[in-house]
Each structure stands twice: as structure tokens, then as C-alpha cells.
Amino acid sequence: MKKVVKFSSLKFLILLSFLFAGSELYAQYGYGSGYGYGSRGGYGYGRQRSSIPQAQEAPKEPEPKTAEELVDGEMPRITEALELNEFEQAVLSSVLKKYVQERIEAQILKLPPEKMREVYDNITKRQDEELKAGLPLEKYEAFVALQKDGVAKTLKKKKKKTKRKKPKN
């Protein structure tokens, strides 16, 4: 005996709605929903970027460092290169901060090159006099050599000297 199953119209409508809802969900999954395999950074095939131009923020220029920040950043390396004690370090740091600030102020004025060179020479002369008075002679001479050669080169020379002094076993 065969049973014939008759679909009622209500069952038929429910089945049909599931079919349509499933295809709609599948379409959203693959194309443009921002999820799933079809997404491209949130812009899938079916969803386009806005045609309204977006305001672009210019990247902020980094704030120029102050004299204190510049000197404080270099002091550990200078201290290591010159083997300064705490007093000498404090003297050197305060003098450098003072004259670096003067150089920054001179740069802000944007003087002509000849005048700028004259101002820088004057600042350097006063700085040297103050350092000569505040530091022992050998530390002052080492600092002048450091300025001429650079911190990295001075540290390199110092490391070579320490390697030579170590006795070989």
C-alpha cells in the first residue's frame, strides 16, 4: 500500500521561504558582507567604495627636540666615551644645554649664512671657554677630540685600546 503524502499549502510556503532565505544568506556571505572568502578588506564584489572623497589628514611633523632632550639623549654615550664622573657629567651637561639652546634660537632667526657662521663661532668660543674652566684639562681635550671625531669613532678607538691592553693567555 502506497501512502500519498499531500503537502499542505502552509508546508509548501515554509519550504519555499527556507529556500529563498538560504540563497540570500549565501549571497551575503560570499559577496560584500565583509566576512567570508569574498571579502576584500570589507569591499567585496557587490559593494563599492563611496564616491564621496574622504579628507586625508597630513601626517604630523615630529616636534623638534628641545636642547634638554638633545643633550640628555647624547650624554650617556659622551659619558662612556670620556669616562666622566658625576660632577664632570653635570658640568658638561649644563654647559651643553645652555649653548645648544642658543644654537636652536639662532636657527629660528634664519640669519644669512655669513651672519649665522659668525653667531655659531661666537657660541662655540664661549662654550669652549666655559668647558675649559669647568672640566679638568685632559677631559676638556678629550671632549674637543670627541667633537672633532664624533662619539661613535671615539668609542671605537676606546674599545681597540682596551683590547690591546688585555693580556693574552
Side-chain angles (χ1 to χ4, degrees), residues 56-136:
Q56 300 251 344
E57 286 187 33
K60 293 182 180 179
E61 291 184 20
E63 297 264 335
K65 291 185 176 182
T66 64
E68 286 186 19
E69 292 171 340
L70 290 170
V71 172
D72 289 342
E74 286 297 316
M75 275 311 291
R77 294 179 70 204
I78 294 171
T79 302
E80 181 185 350
L82 300 178
E83 298 175 350
L84 300 174
N85 63 30
E86 289 182 24
F87 175 75
E88 294 165 341
Q89 185 179 352
V91 168
L92 183 64
S93 177
S94 64
V95 171
L96 287 178
K97 285 177 185 176
K98 177 180 173 183
Y99 290 106
V100 167
Q101 181 62 41
E102 285 187 24
R103 286 183 178 91
I104 291 172
E105 290 168 0
Q107 284 179 346
I108 291 171
L109 294 175
K110 296 182 181 175
L111 300 170
E114 307 85 34
K115 183 70 175 166
M116 186 69 82
R117 188 175 301 115
E118 185 180 315
V119 169
Y120 271 36
D121 288 343
N122 186 16
I123 292 171
T124 303
K125 182 180 173 186
R126 289 185 292 131
Q127 175 183 321
D128 287 346
E129 289 172 0
E130 201 167 325
L131 286 174
K132 197 179 258 187
L135 293 174

Side-chain angles (χ1 to χ4, degrees), residues 15-51:
L15 180 64
L16 207 56
S17 64
F18 277 129
L19 285 174
F20 286 127
S23 64
E24 179 67 26
L25 289 174
Y26 180 76
Q28 286 183 1
Y29 170 76
Y31 300 100
S33 67
Y35 308 119
Y37 69 91
S39 66
R40 291 187 176 163
Y43 298 103
Y45 298 116
R47 182 172 160 195
Q48 301 299 316
R49 293 181 183 231
S50 172
S51 61

